[in-house]
Amino acid sequence: MALLGMRGLSVFISDVRNCQNKEQERLRIDKELGNIRTRFKNEKGLTPNEKKKYVWKMLYIYMLGYDVDFGHMEALSLISAPKYPEKQVGYIVTSCLLNESHEFLRMVINTVRNDIIGRNETFQCLALTMVGNIGGKEFAESLAPDVQRLLISSSCRPLVRKKAALCLLRLYRKNPDVVNIDGWSDRMSQLLDERDLGVLTSVMSLFVALVSNNNEAYWNCLPKCAKILERLARNQDIPQEYTYYGIPSPWLQVKTMKALQYFPTVEDPNTRRALFEVLQRILMGTDVVKNVNKNNASHAVLFEALALVMHLDAEKEMMSQCVALLGKFIAVREPNIRYLGLENMTRMLLITDVQDLIKRHQAQIVTSLKDPDISIRRRALDLLYGMCDVTNAKDIVEELLQYLSTADFVMREELALKAAILAEKFAPDLSWYVDVILQLIDKAGDFVSDDIWYRVVQFVTNNEDLQPYAAAKAREYLDKPALHETMVKVSAYILGEYSHLLARRPGCNPKEIFTIINEKLPTVSKPTVAILLSTYAKILMHTEPSDPELQEQIWAIFRKYESYIDVEIQQRAVEYFVLSRKGAALADVLAEMPKFPERQSALLKKAEDAEVDTAEQSAIKLRSQQQTSNALVVTDQQPVNGPLPINQLGLVRIPSQKMEASSHNQGLTKENGAVSKVDPEPAPSADFLGDLLGPLAIEGPPAATVSAEQNMISGLEATPNAADALALATVGDQSNSVQPIVNIAERFHALCLKDSGVLYEDPYMQIGIKSEWRAHHGHLVLFLGNKNTSPLLSVRAVILPPTHLKVELSLVPETIPPRAQVQCPLEVVNLRASRDIAVLDFSYKFGTTVVSVKLRLPAVLNKFLQPKSVSAEEFFPQWKSLSGPPLKLQEVVRVVKPMSLPEMTNLFTSLHLGVIPGLDTNSNNLVSCTGFYSESTRAMLCLIRVETDPSDRTQLRITIASGDPTLTFELKEFIKEHLINIPTPTPAPAPSPALAAAALQPQSPITRAGYTDPGVMLAGLL
Amino acid sequence: MIRAVIVMNTQGKPRLVKFYDFQPPEKQQELIRSVYGVLSERADNVSNFVEADAIFGPGTQLVYKHFATLYFVFVFDSAENELAMLDLIQVFVETLDRCFKNVCELDIVFNFNKMHMLLDEIIFGGQVLETSSEQVLKAVEEISKLEKSSSAISLVPKSVSARFGR
């Protein structure tokens, strides 16, 4: 009889299962949905039990993939039911159906809270589970303290406490402020003493989340972690139910070792010794056995131990042992272990000095490329890619090429790209590189992206020695049957440019070349036709003495395409036809392509872009990123230039070097985004230059005018900006003959609001900046890029810091090699609040020109701010306790840039002043809260209130409160600078006496004047 | 963090679906389909790992176990240990087995509500909650007692699920 209650559910599931096809299933489901809807509509006759049944049905339907867009309220209402079964359904179904931002959730917050603080443990568990599974911001704000209380309560059962720990973890992810670091390191340390393994496992997960954010605060917990590992791995001191296939809780062991990987080192010798002893035991004591589950469990621990050793073993005592183990693993029968062996070897490549050890296993890794499991094949490919260097590039790339013809389709594109990149990066000689790419196109043309063949063309164009070889190779391939279209493109291009270098070889006279290329014409697509037309024009030009028969054949083709529907092709045909009748002038226009400017390989860039980080970074990745902070010289890298635009491969050369210049401009536009107005639509204009200007040029003057105009436009646009920028930004000598080509003031202001970008650029060099800010520390990297083909000499960079900043710049090399970029790390420590600005005094010599500039560094006040979101209960007591000057200052600000409240909110947010909506009941006001970090104040809370007048947007009243008078004053002035219409120049590197005095005496006349202002009356009071 | 738990049969029909970061229903189905597409092509004697970047975004991994007519799939990010996740699937399945006495697909179909309860005792908000199947069963029994005392059934007995299955 008891079955009756849910019988309907079973019948329904059974009905759905018995449906013969999707259509029947849909009909049955629609019928049920209709039924549920009507039952919900007249809720009066509905018993709680029935309601429960319908809500379960909804979840079942939802799981099958049907949208259930009603009934959420009914599910939610069950949460408030008094009896357990209904409540349970309400909680479970709500946590599946609703997402954290669903407005309905707000309605149950109180019920949920009552369940959490109530006495009923099963209700507590249900409520915690839903909050933990949904994890919304609002839950975080209103429930975190209660959840925390459950976790540390001694009267709660483990069942509740372990859920509380994970619930808190989820809320912490949503809002890190729910865990106050000060008290937590001690509390955490106590929690790690927990004996109950269930609770300890959850607590460890929480601990991992906390240390991953801030390891410094939890040093005291390090020995505890080592103890736990000893307890599990060495003493095996745990209840039977927590050993899994004979292994003491592998999950807890793994989590503990994960936590340890977030600490940079283990300094305490005792802890370190204990830890290494345990690790050694794990590494040595694990064997591959018959039972799969036991294997999995023991190796879960082993692989985590390996990761921890890689992290901690700075002396590399155990590293060779680790590599040997991995070498063993990649050859075992068990596929999971092979997979992880390869994966961990790849991770190990990030550690210096072990590459040679890994290379010993190259043969086995290559064998893994043929593993029956595609997951393993992928890992092997990643590893080969990672371990490739000049010594083994030839072997590895040839293996990859060989594998290409048998590889899975899903892997071919990646494989082709990786082979191309390796060939480019590590080519022992360039003819080998050309061979590899042509083979690649031949074997897997469909999977070779355009970037790959553009790149080979660039190399051939820039290396004269390579040209005859490449042309001969291209000619060979044309003899093959069923040629891939990409191969037609690249061969046609290369032969158009360089086939004349082969003229004496058999089968290579212009006519023969033309004939063999022209065979492909009927079968190729439009973009290739365009390339072929250019090739024909080039062949015609290179034919000396001219061959009337060939000429007639080619002209016939040009004429045929003169009325072609595709504009690009039509245009080429028309132009080439006219041009080729000009005789000698043709040679001027169609001369050999100039060398391409050096640029970062589009392929390498693509590979870098693909490496996106996940939100929760693994410790090893974090470390490998930190390792790049030393000054280093990267040649052959020019981030200013974007990827190669396709049209640059047009075969037409422009008289003069205009093309190169334009490509530079284009790069700039891309880099600077909105700032540069030189060239609003870069791509079409390059096309314009490439294809139109060329032909026009032979007519003489018109082209010159056009390019001159282009010059004038860019000149006009750039110069006033530059002058303006100089007036505002540079402090000392203005005698430079070299003018910056970006607006320095604008760049500076932009960088005050964001963390990376270009700080300065002139025709010879570019200075980029990238910064990271953490509390009162700043880590900046200056990227000094030489844009030329000759070196920049006597490079000098000095920082003139204001008194409130401690700045350390690493050594700047005296010379920057051609087209190289030098990175110089810069460390900043903020001592106290001030609006003064550090200045970079920078100079270098290019030829005989000395360029010297002084640039403001964007290490400004707001970089040391971190927005805080506080609740009304926290805000108002603070606000009241800071009662008046000098801690709380108020001022009426005039001549404000008129902006709407959302605009102002944006401005505040970008200044790291966290705006808290809804705190002020008056919708014309804006309240914000931020933490300021400096060495003298440490973390200091700042509260800001802005009252605006909707009828006059040019004035407002601002009130600022903090625990430090200097900070209050400086912050007020700082915000004013950003609100007022005129950008205020603050060039002085050292604080002027007047300012310092003002800081000490915050009741300045201006402020006082504000109080008697009618605007104050208008704005009302707080 | 564990992003999702999916149990589906070898025809691709979902039997239990739980996402720990919310996905709209259409997206859920799309993901389930993609996962099925990958798994159905895998042979038996290969590893239990599949790179899930293409389906769930960068850095995600997927482990699965294949039992009779069912796939058990966990999706997670780089902060978790692959083999530990595989062990957790084993714990989940062993717990089901003890709970239903030789679990089969039908048990899971007809007790999908019970599956949610069990899962909630093992994984919580994308984190490992409990790894001892004894503890999990204890918790579930407590719940069942509560349900019974409120005169409701929590588990469809085998005889019944078999009858409906036919």
Side-chain angles (χ1 to χ4, degrees):
Chain A
M1 276 316 282
L3 187 74
L4 265 176
M6 295 288 270
R7 191 185 160 85
L9 179 59
S10 296
V11 171
F12 170 63
I13 293 175
S14 171
D15 278 1
V16 172
R17 259 175 58 81
N18 289 335
C19 289
Q20 299 297 318
N21 52 41
K22 196 78 195 163
E23 197 43 43
Q24 275 186 15
E25 182 184 291
R26 175 170 288 281
L27 282 173
R28 180 66 187 86
I29 298 237
D30 283 345
K31 184 180 148 206
E32 194 63 41
L33 285 175
N35 179 27
I36 299 174
R37 204 191 293 263
T38 30
R39 292 309 303 267
F40 279 166
K41 255 191 201 138
N42 34 20
E43 225 184 287
K44 272 194 200 114
L46 216 56
T47 66
N49 202 27
E50 279 175 314
K51 204 165 170 185
K52 184 182 84 178
K53 182 179 72 183
Y54 290 131
V55 171
W56 273 125
K57 280 184 184 171
M58 277 167 45
L59 181 60
Y60 191 78
I61 293 170
Y62 180 79
M63 177 184 75
L64 290 177
Y66 298 87
D67 198 6
V68 181
D69 53 359
F70 66 95
H72 295 172
M73 195 55 107
E74 279 75 11
L76 215 57
S77 69
L78 284 175
I79 289 178
S80 326
K83 277 194 192 158
Y84 183 83
E86 284 90 44
K87 207 181 215 6
Q88 180 207 31
V89 183
Y91 272 122
I92 291 185
V93 176
T94 302
S95 71
C96 288
L97 250 41
L98 302 189
N99 80 358
E100 58 173 275
S101 52
H102 202 292
E103 55 194 72
F104 283 2
L105 285 177
R106 206 170 292 159
M107 299 189 294
V108 286
I109 279 196
N110 266 331
T111 318
V112 174
R113 178 153 190 270
N114 286 335
D115 281 341
I116 287 180
I117 57 177
R119 296 238 155 252
N120 187 327
E121 280 180 340
T122 42
F123 287 6
Q124 283 176 333
C125 284
L126 284 178
L128 287 172
T129 306
M130 184 187 80
V131 174
N133 283 340
I134 295 184
K137 229 187 161 73
E138 270 181 64
F139 279 147
E141 275 152 21
S142 45
L143 300 176
D146 300 317
V147 175
Q148 204 167 310
R149 224 164 283 134
L150 287 185
L151 171 62
I152 53 177
S153 144
S154 53
S155 58
C156 270
R157 278 206 303 159
L159 187 68
V160 180
R161 290 181 59 215
K162 66 186 184 188
K163 285 179 179 154
L166 291 181
C167 188
L168 190 61
L169 157 58
R170 187 75 187 238
L171 298 181
Y172 173 74
R173 286 258 163 78
K174 281 291 153 202
N175 180 3
D177 295 335
V178 303
V179 172
N180 181 0
I181 290 175
D182 294 339
W184 260 89
S185 58
D186 288 338
R187 186 170 292 162
M188 201 67 230
S189 169
Q190 280 169 23
L191 284 169
L192 289 173
D193 287 333
E194 176 67 47
R195 290 299 294 177
D196 183 280
L197 265 278
V199 178
L200 187 56
T201 309
S202 297
V203 164
M204 193 56 85
S205 294
L206 175 61
F207 182 58
V208 169
L210 295 176
V211 279
S212 72
N213 232 10
N214 179 0
N215 62 61
E216 285 143 34
Y218 296 97
W219 276 105
N220 56 338
C221 299
L222 239 171
K224 294 278 168 75
C225 292
K227 281 256 154 53
I228 292 172
L229 263 191
E230 278 189 307
R231 176 184 163 197
L232 295 171
R234 196 184 64 192
N235 309 342
Q236 312 220 335
D237 165 26
I238 65 164
Q240 179 55 34
E241 59 175 334
Y242 283 100
T243 45
Y244 172 84
Y245 289 90
I247 313 295
S249 183
W251 299 276
L252 183 53
Q253 291 196 53
V254 163
K255 276 275 179 245
T256 312
M257 290 192 273
K258 287 255 187 241
L260 286 167
Q261 288 169 60
Y262 286 102
F263 292 96
T265 54
V266 178
E267 269 159 12
D268 173 43
N270 288 330
T271 312
R272 192 179 165 87
R273 200 179 319 113
L275 207 52
F276 270 81
E277 203 188 298
V278 175
L279 290 173
Q280 183 76 28
R281 180 187 288 268
I282 296 172
L283 292 190
M284 289 294 87
T286 312
D287 279 317
V288 180
V289 293
K290 270 237 168 95
N291 185 315
V292 179
N293 290 325
K294 188 181 167 81
N295 258 342
N296 287 341
S298 63
H299 285 80
V301 176
L302 173 61
F303 279 112
E304 208 56 59
L306 274 171
L308 184 55
V309 170
M310 284 189 237
H311 176 73
L312 291 179
D313 190 14
E315 285 80 43
K316 310 214 165 57
E317 299 154 38
M318 288 163 78
M319 214 50 89
S320 57
Q321 193 186 341
C322 291
V323 179
L325 260 179
L326 290 176
K328 199 177 93 190
F329 291 155
I330 61 175
V332 298
R333 270 174 56 96
E334 186 57 46
N336 285 342
I337 295 174
R338 285 206 301 278
Y339 176 94
L340 290 171
L342 291 167
E343 184 180 71
N344 280 278
M345 268 198 185
T346 312
R347 281 189 196 150
M348 210 164 223
L349 288 171
L350 296 174
I351 300 167
T352 43
D353 305 337
V354 296
Q355 280 88 342
D356 286 329
L357 294 172
I358 291 176
K359 273 191 212 161
R360 292 185 201 156
H361 302 282
Q362 190 170 320
Q364 182 60 41
I365 301 166
V366 167
T367 317
S368 307
L369 268 184
K370 289 150 197 139
D371 197 282
D373 183 353
I374 185 172
S375 299
I376 293 178
R377 294 197 291 274
R378 281 184 195 276
R379 287 281 83 90
L381 175 60
D382 282 352
L383 177 52
L384 285 173
Y385 179 72
M387 67 192 277
C388 193
D389 61 19
V390 272
T391 64
N392 56 10
K394 255 188 151 153
D395 294 338
I396 289 182
V397 171
E398 267 147 38
E399 284 294 344
L400 296 185
L401 281 177
Q402 213 185 355
Y403 174 47
L404 195 55
S405 27
T406 53
D408 316 65
F409 281 103
V410 286
M411 276 178 76
R412 284 197 189 175
E413 183 167 359
E414 193 189 349
L415 195 56
L417 182 66
K418 288 194 161 153
I421 291 173
L422 293 179
E424 176 184 333
K425 256 170 128 176
F426 303 116
D429 57 87
L430 286 171
S431 53
W432 176 78
Y433 167 73
V434 172
D435 283 347
V436 169
I437 301 299
L438 292 182
Q439 275 189 58
L440 210 58
I441 297 172
D442 185 39
K443 286 187 168 170
D446 283 345
F447 302 96
V448 172
S449 61
D450 282 345
D451 293 333
I452 296 179
W453 81 265
Y454 293 167
R455 191 68 180 158
V456 78
V457 164
Q458 278 180 48
F459 267 94
V460 174
T461 309
N462 289 8
N463 291 281
E464 275 156 37
D465 306 344
L466 202 56
Q467 290 160 0
Y469 180 80
K473 275 278 159 190
R475 174 68 188 81
E476 271 174 39
Y477 273 103
L478 281 178
D479 281 333
K480 290 184 88 173
L483 213 53
H484 192 274
E485 188 163 331
T486 305
M487 187 62 96
V488 176
K489 285 184 192 168
V490 68
S491 316
Y493 186 98
I494 291 177
L495 288 172
E497 278 303 321
Y498 308 113
S499 63
H500 59 282
L501 303 172
L502 304 175
R504 292 207 173 68
R505 304 195 192 185
C508 294
N509 73 36
K511 190 136 183 215
E512 285 160 315
I513 298 272
F514 165 74
T515 314
I516 195 154
I517 294 178
N518 199 35
E519 279 171 14
K520 323 285 180 205
L521 184 65
T523 54
V524 295
S525 64
K526 283 178 195 163
T528 313
V529 172
I531 292 173
L532 294 193
L533 292 183
S534 302
T535 303
Y536 297 162
K538 289 254 169 175
I539 291 177
L540 212 50
M541 176 196 72
H542 283 304
T543 315
E544 286 290 340
S546 65
D547 174 347
E549 196 189 330
L550 176 64
Q551 191 168 324
E552 200 37 60
Q553 271 178 312
I554 291 178
W555 280 354
I557 294 170
F558 287 158
R559 273 197 300 266
K560 183 178 146 206
Y561 282 103
E562 264 176 3
S563 53
Y564 195 70
I565 188 152
D566 183 278
V567 186
E568 174 66 33
I569 293 174
Q570 182 189 29
Q571 189 174 348
R572 287 194 194 208
V574 173
E575 285 166 8
Y576 294 150
F577 184 63
V578 178
L579 277 170
S580 57
R581 288 162 169 265
K582 297 272 173 196
L586 179 68
D588 282 345
V589 183
L590 291 181
E592 197 172 293
M593 286 294 284
K595 287 187 175 164
F596 289 93
E598 279 304 323
R599 47 170 58 91
Q600 188 189 10
S601 162
L603 298 183
L604 291 178
K605 198 171 170 302
K606 209 167 168 181
E608 282 162 18
D609 290 348
E611 287 167 18
V612 193
D613 292 331
T614 44
E616 198 169 19
Q617 279 188 322
S618 63
I620 198 156
K621 216 169 196 176
L622 277 174
R623 191 156 37 92
S624 73
Q625 284 172 350
Q626 285 155 5
Q627 278 172 351
T628 57
S629 59
N630 304 323
L632 76 159
V633 176
V634 191
T635 44
D636 192 18
Q637 207 176 0
Q638 184 66 346
V640 184
N641 287 325
L644 172 70
I646 301 171
N647 10 40
Q648 290 201 0
L649 283 174
L651 276 158
V652 180
R653 179 192 175 164
I654 294 96
S656 88
Q657 289 297 92
K658 192 70 192 83
M659 176 90 164
E660 187 143 3
S662 99
S663 86
H664 265 282
N665 280 344
Q666 213 176 313
L668 285 174
T669 320
K670 282 193 179 136
E671 177 74 17
N672 302 340
V675 177
S676 160
K677 294 150 200 132
V678 179
D679 213 344
E681 272 176 301
S685 102
D687 198 31
F688 175 72
L689 286 172
D691 282 324
L692 270 181
L693 278 192
L696 280 175
I698 39 159
E699 311 283 349
T705 333
V706 175
S707 47
E709 224 166 63
Q710 182 84 12
N711 259 339
M712 267 166 54
I713 293 164
S714 55
L716 279 175
E717 293 273 359
T719 326
N721 279 355
D724 176 34
L726 277 174
L728 284 173
T730 52
V731 194
D733 62 11
Q734 306 288 322
S735 58
N736 289 336
S737 55
V738 177
Q739 297 292 313
I741 54 177
V742 291
N743 182 334
I744 297 178
E746 252 175 47
R747 297 273 83 208
F748 170 74
H749 286 299
L751 282 169
C752 288
L753 301 182
K754 57 182 196 171
D755 284 338
S756 59
V758 175
L759 181 67
Y760 168 83
E761 181 161 1
D762 66 28
Y764 307 123
M765 85 165 302
Q766 187 197 49
I767 303 180
I769 204 162
K770 202 171 161 181
S771 53
E772 280 170 48
W773 306 91
R774 199 160 193 180
H776 60 286
H777 290 279
H779 174 75
L780 288 80
V781 182
L782 296 176
F783 296 83
L784 312 176
N786 179 354
K787 293 160 65 177
N788 297 285
T789 42
S790 41
L792 298 180
L793 305 168
S794 318
V795 179
R796 202 181 55 93
V798 182
I799 306 281
L800 314 170
T803 51
H804 75 285
L805 291 180
K806 220 160 60 185
V807 183
E808 251 174 71
L809 177 65
S810 71
L811 203 63
V812 176
E814 203 160 299
T815 312
I816 305 178
R819 298 211 174 278
Q821 194 185 56
V822 181
Q823 303 183 5
C824 305
L826 180 74
E827 302 296 336
V828 181
V829 179
N830 185 26
L831 303 177
R832 61 179 176 276
S834 165
R835 286 168 298 131
D836 298 329
I837 289 164
V839 171
L840 169 68
D841 185 355
F842 184 80
S843 62
Y844 67 89
K845 219 162 103 185
F846 176 71
T848 54
T849 331
V850 178
V851 182
S852 164
V853 283
K854 290 199 173 66
L855 301 166
R856 289 181 289 170
L857 281 179
V860 286
L861 188 70
N862 62 311
K863 301 284 184 184
F864 304 104
L865 297 176
Q866 264 176 27
K868 295 265 182 259
S869 63
V870 297
S871 63
E873 294 87 67
E874 291 165 285
F875 186 90
F876 287 110
Q878 287 270 9
W879 182 258
K880 282 188 195 116
S881 71
L882 302 165
S883 51
L887 295 179
K888 189 192 240 172
L889 296 176
Q890 194 167 64
E891 183 175 338
V892 172
V893 186
R894 299 283 176 70
V895 240
V896 172
K897 258 180 281 190
M899 53 182 131
S900 67
L901 270 173
E903 280 168 338
M904 198 178 290
T905 306
N906 283 343
L907 173 70
F908 272 51
T909 313
S910 60
L911 290 172
H912 299 191
L913 305 163
V915 174
I916 310 167
L919 211 59
D920 199 315
T921 41
N922 184 340
S923 63
N924 288 313
N925 296 349
L926 188 136
V927 171
S928 103
C929 179
T930 187
F932 174 78
Y933 294 84
S934 73
E935 206 165 78
S936 62
T937 57
R938 289 284 157 191
M940 174 84 68
L941 200 66
C942 311
L943 309 172
I944 300 135
R945 182 177 193 233
V946 179
E947 294 151 279
T948 65
D949 175 2
S951 59
D952 180 4
R953 290 254 168 242
T954 63
Q955 63 174 10
L956 50 78
R957 187 169 75 163
I958 183 166
T959 316
I960 301 209
S962 84
D964 177 48
T966 320
L967 173 59
T968 307
F969 176 77
E970 290 291 320
L971 188 62
K972 183 189 68 161
E973 294 301 312
F974 179 79
I975 295 174
K976 261 169 63 189
E977 283 171 13
H978 284 269
L979 290 173
I980 292 175
N981 227 341
I982 353 155
T984 332
T986 47
S992 66
L995 264 180
L1000 291 173
Q1001 205 183 13
Q1003 283 271 22
S1004 66
I1006 325 156
T1007 327
R1008 232 178 287 127
Y1011 282 123
T1012 53
D1013 197 282
V1016 180
M1017 328 280 192
L1018 207 152
L1021 25 86
L1022 180 65
Chain B
M1 174 182 171
I2 301 169
R3 302 276 187 87
V5 170
I6 301 168
V7 180
M8 62 171 112
N9 70 5
T10 41
Q11 267 97 53
K13 268 254 173 262
R15 292 306 183 205
L16 174 71
V17 176
K18 183 107 186 174
F19 282 87
Y20 291 97
D21 50 351
F22 185 84
Q23 303 286 350
E26 323 80 70
K27 181 80 186 157
Q28 288 191 11
Q29 294 307 311
E30 187 193 316
L31 294 171
I32 293 169
R33 265 197 304 278
S34 318
V35 169
Y36 178 69
V38 174
L39 294 189
S40 59
E41 298 205 338
R42 289 178 68 79
D44 271 345
N45 50 353
V46 293
S47 70
N48 300 88
F49 306 124
V50 173
E51 218 167 88
D53 299 42
I55 306 174
F56 291 90
T60 49
Q61 289 235 46
L62 179 162
V63 302
Y64 72 101
K65 273 198 162 194
H66 181 184
F67 292 96
T69 57
L70 291 172
Y71 289 120
F72 288 77
V73 183
F74 283 17
V75 182
F76 52 90
D77 61 24
S78 57
E80 301 292 334
N81 176 306
E82 296 97 333
L83 281 174
M85 287 297 111
L86 197 58
D87 293 339
L88 199 63
I89 296 187
Q90 185 66 23
V91 170
F92 184 37
V93 174
E94 283 179 14
T95 312
L96 289 177
D97 208 44
R98 290 167 73 168
C99 184
F100 294 110
K101 318 270 179 313
N102 287 323
V103 65
C104 67
E105 191 184 340
L106 280 182
D107 294 320
I108 290 173
V109 174
F110 284 99
N111 293 291
F112 87 103
N113 46 351
K114 180 102 179 181
M115 295 283 287
H116 275 280
M117 278 172 235
L118 271 167
L119 185 63
D120 279 349
E121 293 300 324
I122 297 177
I123 298 174
F124 180 107
Q127 300 288 334
V128 182
L129 174 66
E130 184 53 74
T131 58
S132 148
S133 41
E134 269 103 293
Q135 291 290 333
V136 176
L137 285 177
K138 227 188 269 172
V140 172
E141 269 157 30
E142 264 181 51
I143 296 172
S144 304
K145 260 185 226 145
L146 270 172
E147 289 188 321
K148 285 215 181 80
S149 66
S150 329
S151 80
I153 189 73
S154 61
L155 202 148
V156 180
K158 250 210 161 50
S159 56
V160 179
S161 62
R163 194 176 70 222
F164 281 119
R166 251 183 260 125

